[in-house]
Structure formats: C-alpha cells, structure tokens
Amino acid sequence: DQQVKQNSPSLSVQEGRISILNCDYTNSMFDYFLWYKKYPAEGPTFLISISSIKDKNEDGRFTVFLNKSAKHLSLHIVPSQPGDSAVYFCAASGNYGQNFVFGPGTRLSVLP
Amino acid sequence: NAGVTQTPKFRILKIGQSMTLQCAQDMNHNYMYWYRQDPGMGLKLIYYSVGAGITDKGEVPNGYNVSRSTTEDFPLRLELAAPSQTSVYFCASSPPGSDEKLFFGSGTQLSVL
C-alpha cells in the first residue's frame, strides 16, 4: 500500500501558466514533506520543503501548500517555464529526515 | 563541487553474478542512503547509514549488503543478482538536523539478464 500517492502520472501546461502538482499521504505520523525535481539521466534535486507546523512555504516561483486534515499537499509553479519540464517527486518523513517515503512522481511538460 | 558520485553509470549483469555499486560524497555528511527506483514507482529505501560503522535496513534490503567504513564512502553490494534487481539505483547523503534534505547522485542503471 502506497503511503505517498501522486495520482497524476503526467501533466501538460502552457508556458506562463500555473502548474499544480498534487500529493496525498495516508500516514498521519508524517510531519515533514519535500518536493524533488528530476531531469532524465540525473539524480533528483531538492526543490522545496514544508513542515507540519506550517500550511504554506514559498521560494520564488514555487509554493507548497499543506492541508493536514486532508493529508494533501500541492506544489504550485507560477509562471511555468519550459525548463521546469521534469519529473516531480513528493516525499514525506515521520522523523524529520530519516526514512523518506517517496511518491511515484508526476511528469510535468511545459509547452512553449 | 563533486557532491555525491556514483559509479558505474550503467551495468549489465548475468543472473547469479555479484557486483558493488560505489558511492562517495565529499560534503562530510553523516547520513547516507541507497534507494532503488522501478518504472512508475517512487524511490524505495534499501539501506541507510547515520555514520561510519553504523548501517540499518530500509524498506527493501533483501539481496543487498552495505558497509560504511568511512564518512565518505557507502558501497552497495549485490550478491547473486536476480532479474528483480533490475532498477535504477540512487545514492544520497544528508546532513543531520531538522532541515534535512537529500543530495542525490546521478544514479546507476542496472540490468540483470
């Protein structure tokens, strides 16, 4: 049973528009969440994180929202750029960093 | 800055062969991890280490062994390779603390035929 779910395997967005990537989790003990971006033939790179004491965290064009009651988080990218085309992984941890559980990823394509 | 370095990038093994995937980091991170990623799946933790001489099993440790003799190196050993071990393997490291994030290597694509 997947503890971290990303139900959209792929998403296509026009350049300049908003990209919204969703992530759901089942384990209420998770208290730290991260998003990673992965380009082909490279390892994932850290994008943004949020702890359970917050409901929003921003870093430039990237914002992560956390809804603890719904066990749902989302990543907003505004405005989307072609260089944002990659696979995005959601990850969660129950003890601030050890034993992250990863979702299956969403492939984002930003069309010029 | 080298970061996390994995070798080899690609490898084909025959069933029953053994090999070691190498991982080295130059950031003086205490924590190191091995993940595998199967198609359409998230990364699954194989083994991790919180420091030299200390290792522990992750979610999918069967068929693998690790050692951590130095802070820098964390090799993953496959004994008696099986087709189910065909995957992309990622090594990662992280500093301890409340704001932890993983730094990944570029991965090893392993096929067992």
Side-chain angles (χ1 to χ4, degrees), chain A residues 98-110:
Chain A
Q98 293 186 28
N99 297 348
F100 290 99
V101 179
F102 283 79
T106 296
R107 181 177 301 277
L108 173 67
S109 299
V110 180

Side-chain angles (χ1 to χ4, degrees), chain A:
Chain A
D1 184 32
Q2 283 188 335
Q3 296 187 71
V4 178
K5 303 176 184 179
Q6 294 176 258
N7 291 323
S8 298
S10 62
L11 174 68
S12 292
V13 171
Q14 287 294 130
E15 181 179 4
R17 306 294 292 268
I18 184 171
S19 296
I20 300 176
L21 294 89
N22 293 305
C23 177
D24 297 288
Y25 60 96
T26 58
N27 190 338
S28 58
M29 298 302 291
F30 288 149
D31 56 14
Y32 189 55
F33 305 89
L34 306 92
W35 284 93
Y36 284 83
K37 179 169 71 173
K38 184 183 180 305
Y39 293 118
E42 295 183 11
T45 55
F46 171 78
L47 191 58
I48 193 168
S49 65
I50 188 167
S51 73
S52 58
I53 62 173
K54 294 184 175 182
D55 55 17
K56 178 182 174 182
N57 189 27
E58 288 181 83
D59 185 1
R61 297 185 296 114
F62 302 92
T63 303
V64 57
F65 295 92
L66 175 63
N67 182 333
K68 290 187 292 293
S69 61
K71 296 190 180 68
H72 176 83
L73 62 157
S74 60
L75 175 68
H76 293 210
I77 306 173
V78 183
S80 300
Q81 300 174 352
D84 296 329
S85 296
V87 176
Y88 289 79
F89 292 99
C90 172
S93 170
N95 51 359
Y96 276 98
Q98 293 186 28
N99 297 348
F100 290 99
V101 179
F102 283 79
T106 296
R107 181 177 301 277
L108 173 67
S109 299
V110 180
L111 309 173

